[in-house]
Amino acid sequence: MTDLERRYLRLLAAYPADYRRARGAEIVGTYLDLAEPGRRWPAPADAVDLLRGGLRQRVRAAGAIHLLPGVRLAATLALLTATALAGMWTVLELRPAPPGFGEPSVGPFVSLGIVAWAGWLLAAAAQALTPERWHRRAVALAVLLTGALVPAAALTGLPRPPLFVLLPQLGLGLVALGASREQSVSLRMLPLLTAVGGLAAAGPSSNGFAWTYRAVTAELVLRDAAVVVLAVTVLLAVGLAVRGDHRGGWALLILLTPAGLLALHALAGAADGVPNAFAPNWTALAATAAVVALVGPALLPVALALRTRLARPPAPSAPR
């Protein structure tokens, strides 16, 4: 057995055992036949394809046929939320404090955040105007720009948006990467429309006080966004479930973490014993963020395990 074959077999562990026994040799043989002479490691595209196929087969084996459509629904809702927020934060970035107020700035902008928000606006435009293969790349670029703000600010000493603004944007962006590349024209236009809506909504309300993300307004916007995301997803889940379509339920499970990060200050304030506080202490914020980041993703495999158990046929009873 060659090193390449052995490594393909390791990747094949992503598939259920029954599927591997039935078709494993055929799958590995196909990849080996297509591999270039002398190759010792699977091509990255082949590895991703095998892992994706294994996940798809495990989902089918669990009877959760609506999980992948649920991922795509959650990704669409996450992208709409992220682009709307990016539009609002862009307006904030364009209104630095007047001289003499002691607020730091980055030239004509409030902070380095303008780079990330521009990336999200670009992603919204890419969804509407570019070929399908660029859609996910544009979202990935926006996610990278958002995450890069923290080290960039540390290295340059320039101001950046606070973590309670960046964390939910990252959470929404990671979910948005699961969006389907094949979408109708109306769905492709929606992120651009929500971004424009965010720009328009923030414009009139930002005069006079929105010079910093630490204003009460920013926390209220994030809290309200969490409520809207959960409310819309619950309504979709109920409406789809009536027709026997459970993708809305899976989307709700997937969006619990981004929604929790959007409401981080409110949740941390409740954990800190002061539900209406807009400045919970750092310990409460860190603990709440850790719980949200761990509990949300953990619920998905639990739900899959329960779905597998429910889908498993009952064992035949022993004859009397």
Side-chain angles (χ1 to χ4, degrees):
M1 181 182 295
T2 65
D3 290 341
L4 181 61
E5 183 178 1
R6 187 178 299 108
R7 285 160 181 153
Y8 272 120
L9 286 171
R10 289 175 185 167
L11 289 172
L12 204 66
Y15 286 79
D18 292 343
Y19 195 90
R20 292 199 304 271
R21 284 192 292 268
R23 300 194 57 191
E26 176 188 350
I27 293 173
V28 172
T30 300
Y31 280 107
L32 290 175
D33 290 342
L34 296 174
E36 299 92 342
R39 176 177 284 277
R40 297 183 57 194
W41 290 88
D46 291 347
V48 171
D49 190 48
L50 277 168
L51 294 174
R52 184 186 301 153
L55 175 61
R56 188 180 298 113
Q57 291 302 325
R58 287 185 180 275
V59 168
R60 288 176 180 171
I65 59 174
H66 295 123
L67 174 57
L68 294 181
V71 170
R72 291 192 285 269
L73 175 59
T76 298
L77 295 173
L79 181 58
L80 296 179
T81 307
T83 52
L85 289 173
M88 299 187 75
W89 303 144
T90 299
V91 174
L92 186 152
E93 285 285 346
L94 297 175
R95 297 182 180 274
F101 277 74
E103 291 287 347
S105 61
V106 180
F109 307 112
V110 168
S111 74
L112 293 172
I114 188 62
V115 176
W117 312 139
W120 282 104
L121 296 181
L122 176 64
Q127 301 295 311
L129 305 175
T130 65
E132 293 171 356
R133 66 180 181 274
W134 290 101
H135 294 179
R136 197 169 295 167
R137 297 177 188 177
V139 174
L141 175 62
V143 171
L144 290 174
L145 290 174
T146 305
L149 290 181
V150 175
L155 290 172
T156 62
L158 296 172
R160 59 163 172 80
L163 288 177
F164 77 84
V165 172
L166 296 178
L167 284 176
Q169 196 76 17
L170 284 172
L172 291 166
L174 291 175
V175 173
L177 288 172
S180 173
R181 296 184 182 182
E182 299 177 3
Q183 295 179 334
S184 64
V185 175
S186 57
L187 279 179
R188 290 171 56 185
M189 290 296 299
L190 277 178
L192 185 58
L193 293 176
T194 57
V196 173
L199 288 165
S205 63
S206 61
N207 291 318
F209 54 83
W211 298 323
T212 170
Y213 291 97
R214 301 187 188 279
V216 172
T217 310
E219 294 157 1
L220 287 175
V221 166
L222 292 172
R223 185 197 65 187
D224 292 347
V227 173
V228 171
V229 168
L230 289 177
V232 169
T233 311
V234 168
L235 289 174
L236 284 173
V238 173
L240 291 170
V242 171
R243 300 185 297 175
D245 186 342
H246 301 292
R247 56 179 163 160
W250 292 112
L252 180 60
L253 282 175
I254 294 166
L255 288 170
L256 283 178
T257 295
L261 293 174
L262 285 167
L264 186 59
H265 262 227
L267 293 174
D272 202 21
V274 189
N276 295 323
F278 285 101
N281 64 54
W282 173 252
T283 303
L285 279 172
T288 304
V291 169
V292 169
L294 292 174
V295 171
L299 290 175
L300 194 57
V302 170
L304 273 173
L306 290 174
R307 185 68 185 84
T308 303
R309 179 169 295 184
L310 292 173
R312 188 177 301 157
S317 57
R320 296 184 179 179

